[in-house]
Every structure is written in C-alpha cells, then in structure tokens.
Amino acid sequence: MKKDDDEILNAYVNEVENAQETTSEDMHKEVPKENEKHSISRMKEQIRASKREDLPTEDKTGLHYRDNIGYLKIPVDSLPTQGLFYPKGTEIIIRAARGAEIKHWSTMNDQDLEQLSAVDDILNYIIEKCVSVKMPDVIGASWKDLKDVDRFYLLMAVREFTFLDGDNELMVPISEGKDVPVTKEMIDFIKIPEDIMRYYSEEERCFVFTMKTGKTINMYIPSLGATQWLKNYAQAKSNARQGFDTDFILFAPMLINDFRRLSQRAYEEMVTSSQGWSTAEWSLISHVRDILTQAVEPKITYQNEDGADVTVPLNFRGGIKALFTIQDPLSILC
C-alpha cells in the first residue's frame, strides 16, 4: 500500500533522528574515578610525561591530537547555563577528537550561507562523538539533551582536550591588525536579565510565567534535540513542497520541554493550539524569546593595555572552522 504524505514525512524525520550511535553508557563506564580530579592541564602533563610512542599522534596538517587516551568530566555548573536547566545529578564527560572526526570537521564551509545547515550538522557530529551525557531517571540521555547555548562551550572544551601544548591558538580580532588568543574561560556565553531570571523555577528547571488569567506558560532554553528535530521537520516539509507555519517554528524551540515526545502529529497539534493564544500571551512569548536570544550571544572579555576589561563580539580569525584546523596553514611549511 502506498504511504500518504504524512507517513512519508514522519518516516523521513524519524530516520534522520535515529541516524546515530549510542555510545553514552560505554563512555561513562570507562571513566576512571581519578580522572574526575584532573584538569585539562593535568591530563596534558600526563601525556607529555608519557614515553609511549603512540600517545601524541600527528595528522597531515602538523597538529597534535590525542586518540582516545581518556575521558574528562565537565562540571555541569561550569557550563554557560550553570546546570540550571538540566535535571539535578546530570553528568557530562568529554573525550578528545580523533583524526577521523577532525577530517570530517575539515569539510566544513562556514563562509557559505547556503551551507549553514551542513555546518550545524558538523558541530553536532563532534558533540555526538566526543560528549556523553547521563541524567538521573532519563533512559537514553544523550547529546541531544544538551542546551544549544552549552554546545559551543563544550566544543571549546573538546578542542582544549584534543590539542597539546597550546598549539593552534584561537585568535580573535579586536582591532585592525591586532588579535588576542582566546580560551573558553574568556567567553561570556549567557547573561539573562534579573527580571527574567526571577521567573526561573528550580523545580521545573525552566522559566514559569503565570498570566493574570491564571494560565501558566513554561519557556525553556532550547535543547539540541528540539532544534535538530525542528530543522529536519522544516527541511522535510520544504522537500515535500508542503507548507508549514514559518512563524511558530521560530518560537517552538523555547516551548518544547522534551524532544522525545515530538512527532509530526504532536508538533502540529501545538501549532493548532497556538492559534487560540491571546495577544497578551504572544506578547509575553515574543518578549522573552527576544531577551533570551540576545542573552545567549557569546562575547569575549579581555584586558587591554591599560588593564581594563573590554568586551567584544566573538568572531574567530578563520571562522568557526578554526576550532579544529590551523588558522594559518602556511605556518607549518618549511
């Protein structure tokens, strides 16, 4: 029997969502307890001190990386979100990127606006392969449970855990002809205004707004799983030349609590339900979305010649591709 358009669309979205390996449990089982006490710098010292020839390896670009030497626990409260939007007891560990992953990363073209979707997939690929997540009472917790705003911080952590001895410094242009090296500690990822934070619910792990009508609206920091599903949904609709609500999908990431419950029917029921929302409800949702979107734009803070702190937009020399590639490839030549 021929499938109707809805069945085909659902099958496509599910196929994309399930196209990944489940390695979270294996990664957590292999984490030595003593590694939890080690900083990235301590792990680097151990590797440099080792006499094994197979520890630091060198790829064709001349960069040194570590091939699955161990795992490093990332304190959840060190993330940009400070762990506020994850279940209590959440654990995150990372490993170094391997040669195959760096090779895939090198295919990125972040200068082509038409390939931004592919760039996003490559960012998620590194997170999927190098970051593992465990959450109490959440079966199958994975990288998709991570918040969007935490993704770049974790990419920086994987990068620092991959490259040795500070080679391949990330440089950020601060004025014409002048750059400064940047580490993840210098990056100011998120600043949520107090007038929004006062609606944060520790119990719900999200923002809870109660209207004068008595209706409650929960808004969430978007997860990678939700944004990926919505991107695949929009792409599938476009490929099938089917219309969809292009306005609601802009707000949807902050209205979805659990991406695991998403399906075409469930999502489109959300869209239909939203058509009955009042002007006051839409005004609130729009205002909070605008505030949170602005709050999570990453910036860096550095000290100038006078010792004063200066904040500038985060803009890598060489683009985001420079995270795992050399910014000046000619520098490795004789």
Side-chain angles (χ1 to χ4, degrees):
M1 180 181 295
K2 184 177 180 181
K3 295 183 178 179
D4 60 27
D5 288 342
D6 285 349
E7 289 177 323
I8 294 173
L9 184 63
N10 269 327
Y12 174 86
V13 172
N14 289 334
E15 179 181 353
V16 174
E17 285 295 294
N18 292 328
Q20 61 167 336
E21 298 177 7
T22 304
T23 59
S24 178
E25 289 299 321
D26 292 338
M27 288 177 71
H28 281 274
K29 287 177 181 178
E30 295 179 26
V31 179
K33 291 185 178 179
E34 61 269 18
N35 276 10
E36 298 182 5
K37 302 177 182 179
H38 293 167
S39 64
I40 291 177
S41 60
R42 174 59 178 157
M43 293 294 288
K44 288 180 179 178
E45 289 174 7
Q46 288 181 322
I47 293 170
R48 286 196 295 268
S50 175
K51 300 302 181 182
R52 287 174 51 192
E53 295 180 357
D54 61 333
L55 286 188
T57 57
E58 187 171 313
D59 67 9
K60 293 181 180 180
T61 67
L63 290 178
H64 294 278
Y65 62 89
R66 184 161 57 257
D67 191 1
N68 196 20
I69 298 306
Y71 300 102
L72 181 69
K73 186 173 183 179
I74 301 295
V76 177
D77 59 6
S78 72
L79 297 172
T81 57
Q82 302 175 47
L84 295 175
F85 304 96
Y86 298 100
K88 291 182 179 179
T90 295
E91 295 181 4
I92 297 175
I93 60 173
I94 65 171
R95 68 161 171 82
R98 300 170 181 166
E101 290 140 12
I102 294 175
K103 178 182 68 175
H104 185 57
W105 177 274
S106 300
T107 66
M108 177 191 300
N109 183 1
D110 57 341
Q111 306 303 312
D112 187 346
L113 295 180
E114 294 183 358
Q115 296 191 36
L116 291 182
S117 178
V119 169
D120 184 68
D121 290 339
I122 293 175
L123 299 182
N124 284 342
Y125 173 83
I126 295 292
I127 292 294
E128 176 187 353
K129 298 299 183 182
C130 300
V131 181
S132 177
V133 180
K134 282 186 71 174
M135 293 178 170
D137 304 321
V138 178
I139 298 174
S142 73
W143 63 275
K144 292 184 180 182
D145 289 288
L146 295 169
K147 301 301 181 182
D148 272 3
V149 67
D150 289 331
R151 178 175 68 171
F152 193 74
Y153 180 91
L154 289 167
L155 283 171
M156 290 284 289
V158 170
R159 179 189 184 281
E160 291 180 8
F161 198 40
T162 298
F163 298 112
L164 306 177
D165 301 318
D167 52 1
N168 192 29
E169 280 190 328
L170 278 178
M171 306 300 293
V172 174
I174 58 173
S175 63
E176 187 172 352
K178 185 173 183 180
D179 300 340
V180 294
V182 62
T183 64
K184 68 180 187 301
E185 286 76 20
M186 295 170 59
I187 302 178
D188 187 5
F189 287 89
I190 183 170
K191 275 189 177 179
I192 300 176
E194 182 56 36
D195 61 346
I196 298 296
M197 276 304 300
R198 68 192 184 96
Y199 294 100
Y200 169 76
S201 168
E202 185 173 358
E203 180 180 355
E204 299 291 336
R205 315 301 281 181
C206 68
F207 300 103
V208 178
F209 303 95
T210 302
M211 310 289 292
K212 291 181 178 179
T213 60
K215 180 175 180 177
T216 297
I217 298 176
N218 288 8
M219 294 190 70
Y220 307 89
I221 300 295
S223 69
L224 292 176
T227 54
Q228 185 193 53
W229 190 94
L230 291 167
K231 182 182 75 172
N232 292 335
Y233 171 85
Q235 183 178 2
K237 280 287 191 179
S238 297
N239 290 343
R241 296 187 178 181
Q242 297 178 359
F244 63 97
D245 192 324
T246 56
D247 294 328
F248 184 82
I249 205 167
L250 298 177
F251 300 95
M254 293 183 179
L255 299 173
I256 295 170
N257 178 25
D258 186 357
F259 68 89
R260 293 174 181 81
R261 298 179 182 178
L262 283 172
S263 65
Q264 184 180 347
R265 174 177 293 182
Y267 174 71
E268 292 179 355
E269 285 177 355
M270 285 181 61
V271 177
T272 300
S273 176
S274 72
Q275 294 171 359
W277 292 355
S278 67
T279 301
E281 290 170 302
W282 275 119
S283 297
L284 172 67
I285 292 170
S286 177
H287 175 71
V288 174
R289 175 185 175 273
D290 291 345
I291 294 295
L292 292 180
T293 299
Q294 185 176 4
V296 300
E297 291 180 355
K299 301 176 177 62
I300 68 160
T301 301
Y302 70 96
Q303 285 191 336
N304 62 16
E305 294 85 351
D306 300 325
D309 287 340
V310 179
T311 300
V312 297
L314 182 62
N315 183 23
F316 293 130
R317 180 75 67 190
I320 196 171
K321 187 175 181 179
L323 277 176
F324 291 95
T325 58
I326 294 179
Q327 297 187 56
D328 182 13
L330 297 180
S331 66
I332 67 174
L333 301 179
C334 297

